[in-house]
Amino acid sequence: DTGVSQNPRHKITKRGQNVTFRCDPISEHNRLYWYRQTLGQGPEFLTYFQNEAQLEKSRLLSDRFSAERPKGSFSTLEIQRTEQGDSAMYLCASSFPDLNTEAFFGQGTRLTVV
Amino acid sequence: AQTVTQSQPEMSVQEAETVTLSCTYDTSESDYYLFWYKQPPSRQMILVIRQEAYKQQNATENRFSVNFQKAAKSFSLKISDSQLGDAAMYFCAYSRGSTLGRLYFGRGTQLTVWP
């Protein structure tokens, strides 16, 4: 499978716990994006990387959120001290700007904070 | 700031008929792209069609076409010969020309297709 892969697909956690999600982009894509989608809304941008450099962060990405892409390949998104308001679908996408490609999305990780 | 507005939360269409989904956007940029993404119940976002702002010709992809009105900042999607598999949430999205994956989405239109 050469698409964008996200793991886990579902995560249930207790309020106050830390969670980490992983995204593996399409192999030749050097840009990677994270979005959050709550029920009934369109996805909202969180952050994006070009290779290992984090180029933009939304103000939605509070201090409890951190994203990394240490080797310019896969990325992780960590949420510390989760709150019920963090319950959402977290989407990852990748693109290859040199070929002017649009973003290709993964299937998302659904987070439920109880 | 870039904003994307979809004023139709829900639409429905009979199989084989045509339906049009509306989208307006706001930007002061000159180099940008517009997209329609489809999100079926499986939740994976799939690109339906894209339009470069500098192109006057409306984009088409098989049964899907757009009506791009740059001056009015309007970008509607027409689905012809609707099929049951077209049922999904449709999102209109905007990006600057330099970062196609950095998207601003509308709130979506839920399309139901009746047999």
Side-chain angles (χ1 to χ4, degrees):
Chain A
D1 185 6
T2 57
V4 178
S5 176
Q6 291 189 247
N7 287 287
R9 294 289 309 281
H10 303 274
K11 178 72 176 177
I12 300 174
T13 191
K14 291 184 178 179
R15 191 174 51 185
Q17 298 294 305
N18 299 345
V19 293
T20 300
F21 311 138
R22 176 177 170 129
C23 172
D24 288 88
I26 294 170
S27 59
E28 64 269 23
H29 286 189
N30 57 0
R31 283 194 180 164
L32 186 149
Y33 308 82
W34 286 100
Y35 289 84
R36 182 175 71 183
Q37 186 179 20
T38 52
L39 205 60
Q41 303 291 324
E44 297 172 293
F45 171 78
L46 292 177
T47 188
Y48 90 92
F49 294 84
Q50 177 153 317
N51 300 312
E52 62 273 10
Q54 191 172 19
L55 296 188
E56 185 180 352
K57 292 197 300 184
S58 162
R59 60 179 179 272
L60 291 175
L61 213 66
S62 73
D63 291 346
R64 296 184 298 105
F65 287 70
S66 64
E68 294 182 344
R69 195 181 183 200
K71 297 183 180 179
S73 56
F74 72 91
S75 175
T76 57
L77 178 67
E78 180 184 18
I79 308 175
Q80 296 182 328
R81 305 181 303 281
T82 52
E83 302 173 356
Q84 285 190 321
D86 297 330
S87 295
M89 177 73 82
Y90 291 84
L91 298 172
C92 177
S94 68
S95 71
F96 189 33
D98 289 0
L99 292 182
N100 208 23
T101 67
E102 64 278 359
F104 290 80
F105 283 81
Q107 291 188 292
T109 294
R110 174 166 294 286
L111 173 67
T112 303
V113 182
V114 297
Chain B
Q2 287 74 26
T3 58
V4 177
T5 302
Q6 294 179 251
S7 58
Q8 305 156 315
E10 298 176 346
M11 292 284 285
S12 62
V13 63
Q14 200 88 25
E15 199 175 5
E17 297 296 309
T18 296
V19 64
T20 299
L21 309 184
S22 301
C23 173
T24 59
Y25 62 96
D26 189 24
T27 184
S28 58
E29 309 267 345
S30 58
D31 179 22
Y32 60 89
Y33 288 69
L34 296 164
F35 306 86
W36 280 98
Y37 277 89
K38 169 185 176 180
Q39 190 176 43
S42 70
R43 305 294 287 187
Q44 185 162 16
M45 199 80 72
I46 302 165
L47 179 70
V48 174
I49 198 165
R50 74 185 231 181
Q51 174 79 44
E52 292 87 335
Y54 64 86
K55 289 187 177 179
Q56 293 186 333
Q57 188 171 8
N58 289 324
T60 62
E61 286 288 342
N62 301 313
R63 298 182 295 108
F64 299 87
S65 61
V66 299
N67 183 5
F68 175 44
Q69 299 289 326
K70 192 170 184 178
K73 295 182 179 174
S74 169
F75 183 62
S76 61
L77 174 70
K78 185 171 84 171
I79 306 174
S80 304
D81 185 26
S82 297
Q83 300 176 0
L84 295 177
D86 294 333
M89 183 71 87
Y90 286 81
F91 292 99
C92 179
Y94 164 102
S95 77
R96 293 188 185 97
S98 57
T99 48
L100 265 63
R102 200 293 188 215
L103 296 158
Y104 298 81
F105 284 91
R107 294 185 65 167
T109 297
Q110 180 68 51
L111 178 66
T112 301
V113 182
W114 301 102

